[in-house]
Amino acid sequence: MQQTIADKFTSDPRVSLAKRLLLMALLDHQSAITGIRPPDPDLQADYAETIAEFGVLRGGDLFYPYLGSGIGKGPFVELSDGSIKYDFISGIGVHYWGHSHPEVVAVSIDAAVRDTVMQGNLQQNTESADLAQILLSAATDKGARLKHCFFTTSGAMANENALKLILQKRSPADRLLAFEGCFAGRTLALSQVTDKPAYREGLPLNLAVDYLPFFDPARPEASTRSATEQLRKYLTRYPKRHAAMIFELVQGEGGFYPGDSAFFRALVEILKEHDVTVMVDEIQTFGRTSELFAFSHYGLDGAVDVVTVGKLSQVCATLFSEDHKPRPGLLSQTFTASTQALFAARVIVKGLIEGGYFGPEGAIAQFHNHLIMRLKEIDARHPGLIEGPFGIGAMIAFTPFGGDAAMVKKLIYALFDAGVIAFYCGSHVSRVRFLVPAGAVTTEHIDDVARILEKTLVQVAESV
């Protein structure tokens, strides 16, 4: 069999030996990571100084005093002050395989000896083609019409690219539809879609967006009726002006509110009648529900025209149907992904597809049910301290202290100090959210995090 020079290089015994030695060294040093631990007193002063200096350099303080050391083990991460914490927010959903996962490190070594750090629209390697095939095969497994995949470096850019190809196809239609409380990104265009005024303060209006109420599980039929009626009003008020509706099937930043299949189908039926593109934003939901794609979880495979994925996939992407294929020149980027991200993406996505994560008995459902059980136990022991829980799959949130924003922030900072990294979400009611690293976590880790959470909740409540 004919081999390229690259094949001969990567199979060179010296390269293989170096890789084995690196992985052996990683496992040896990971053995010292057995649980959370406080900062090393000898490192704290320099660490605090570095944190403060970095805040000045970046033009604003970090949300947490977090600078990683560069090693971890599953859900554990070591910071440069020597502390070790549970990472249950995973970089707001990015580190789904946890920290220093041996398989991810192994392919990262493979990527490190490739010819370029970054790949772009002009020059890509074979791993780009391989990953595109993996994503499209999985996306179309149940009948979705998605035929093309364009990579990019961030979820916001994946959404930007989606809007560009949609607006080109639907021109002169120039309006968008979205849900109240949605989050689509913070770029100049997407800040107009994201339903949070603070994110577009001082920015010029460049997109017209009409908002529909999201699904209310307490009023399923009424909320569906309200949304469909509002949709018809907009379509009548601005005839043939709407290019697309952006579906965030589970509201992430808005509070981890899951949607409903019948609710979405009712809206899709109307949109299809009016030839409006159905775009699904899966930057946060990808890989976190009962299916790899949340649109499959909700049975919308036959409806989707454009889908964006990101976060845990490492490489972000815009998937689109043949009839949404853009004209030459519309999509082009110097960087589409790093070589390391492409290698890691293949391991993670294949691992999800082949690793028993999905379905009612899959790992995601098991982790979800276990954490929900622990949160309900805390609620039973401390009535009124938390409400919920809310969420779906590996996206879980709860409301402490009645949703008071100041108290929620006090709690998550206290959790950080206690050794658990979480984050907040919600627009009207503030919540604590976990983006569970399903590829790295065990039920024992969840039990430990729940124990720390309960202790910290009580301490914060008593401090008021």
Side-chain angles (χ1 to χ4, degrees), residues 35 63 110 112 160 183 232 251 253 336 355 373 447 450:
F63 186 87
D110 294 337
E160 285 272 353
F183 182 91
R232 290 190 185 279
Q251 292 204 317
E253 305 295 317
T336 54
M373 177 182 70
D447 290 340

Side-chain angles (χ1 to χ4, degrees), residues 259-389:
D260 174 78
S261 296
F263 173 81
F264 293 136
R265 285 197 297 268
L267 294 172
V268 164
E269 184 177 350
I270 298 170
L271 294 167
K272 293 298 184 181
E273 289 174 4
H274 290 79
D275 205 24
V276 177
T277 293
V278 173
M279 173 186 162
V280 178
D281 176 351
E282 294 232 23
I283 303 303
Q284 193 160 172
T285 54
F286 179 67
R288 288 191 168 84
T289 64
S290 70
E291 302 281 353
L292 182 64
F293 290 88
F295 69 74
S296 292
H297 171 85
Y298 287 109
L300 301 175
D301 298 80
V304 297
D305 299 304
V306 180
V307 177
T308 55
V309 299
K311 290 190 180 288
L312 73 83
S313 59
Q314 310 302 299
V315 180
C316 301
T318 306
L319 313 181
F320 51 96
S321 61
E322 181 67 28
D323 59 341
H324 280 75
K325 185 177 177 180
R327 295 190 289 276
L330 188 73
L331 301 184
S332 180
Q333 295 176 203
T334 301
F335 292 154
T336 54
S338 72
T339 302
Q340 189 271 340
L342 287 158
F343 272 73
R346 291 190 300 179
V347 165
I348 294 168
V349 176
K350 283 183 178 179
L352 284 169
I353 294 170
E354 301 168 0
Y357 282 88
F358 302 115
E361 304 300 324
I364 291 171
Q366 293 179 33
F367 294 144
H368 174 89
N369 293 336
H370 196 80
L371 182 50
I372 294 294
M373 177 182 70
R374 292 293 178 238
L375 290 171
K376 287 181 177 178
E377 289 172 353
I378 294 173
D379 184 31
R381 286 191 289 267
H382 307 280
L385 197 57
I386 65 173
E387 299 173 52

Side-chain angles (χ1 to χ4, degrees), residues 127-349:
E127 50 270 14
S128 294
D130 188 26
L131 179 60
Q133 184 61 57
I134 292 169
L135 288 172
L136 287 169
S137 294
T140 57
D141 185 52
K142 296 186 177 180
R145 300 179 301 109
L146 304 169
K147 300 296 183 184
H148 306 286
C149 173
F150 191 88
F151 291 127
T152 187
T153 52
S154 73
M157 277 307 304
N159 281 341
E160 285 272 353
N161 287 335
L163 292 183
K164 286 170 67 178
L165 62 89
I166 290 168
L167 289 168
Q168 184 183 76
K169 172 180 172 56
R170 298 298 184 188
S171 179
D174 58 355
R175 301 184 75 86
L176 300 174
L177 292 149
F179 289 119
E180 294 174 357
C182 74
F183 182 91
R186 303 184 198 229
T187 62
L188 186 60
L190 293 172
S191 61
Q192 305 297 333
V193 179
T194 296
D195 190 19
K196 198 158 187 176
Y199 292 172
R200 53 179 175 268
E201 185 177 347
L203 301 181
L205 178 66
N206 54 22
L207 277 176
V209 185
D210 299 312
Y211 295 95
L212 306 179
F214 195 66
F215 177 70
D216 183 352
R219 304 167 46 254
E221 293 182 2
S223 66
T224 301
R225 186 167 55 252
S226 175
T228 54
E229 288 175 355
Q230 188 64 57
L231 174 58
R232 290 190 185 279
K233 286 181 181 178
Y234 283 134
L235 294 172
T236 301
R237 183 177 300 166
Y238 305 105
K240 299 183 179 181
R241 292 287 304 280
H242 290 96
M245 178 162 179
I246 303 173
F247 283 77
E248 190 183 17
L249 301 175
V250 180
Q251 292 204 317
E253 305 295 317
F256 279 28
Y257 291 104
D260 174 78
S261 296
F263 173 81
F264 293 136
R265 285 197 297 268
L267 294 172
V268 164
E269 184 177 350
I270 298 170
L271 294 167
K272 293 298 184 181
E273 289 174 4
H274 290 79
D275 205 24
V276 177
T277 293
V278 173
M279 173 186 162
V280 178
D281 176 351
E282 294 232 23
I283 303 303
Q284 193 160 172
T285 54
F286 179 67
R288 288 191 168 84
T289 64
S290 70
E291 302 281 353
L292 182 64
F293 290 88
F295 69 74
S296 292
H297 171 85
Y298 287 109
L300 301 175
D301 298 80
V304 297
D305 299 304
V306 180
V307 177
T308 55
V309 299
K311 290 190 180 288
L312 73 83
S313 59
Q314 310 302 299
V315 180
C316 301
T318 306
L319 313 181
F320 51 96
S321 61
E322 181 67 28
D323 59 341
H324 280 75
K325 185 177 177 180
R327 295 190 289 276
L330 188 73
L331 301 184
S332 180
Q333 295 176 203
T334 301
F335 292 154
T336 54
S338 72
T339 302
Q340 189 271 340
L342 287 158
F343 272 73
R346 291 190 300 179
V347 165
I348 294 168
V349 176

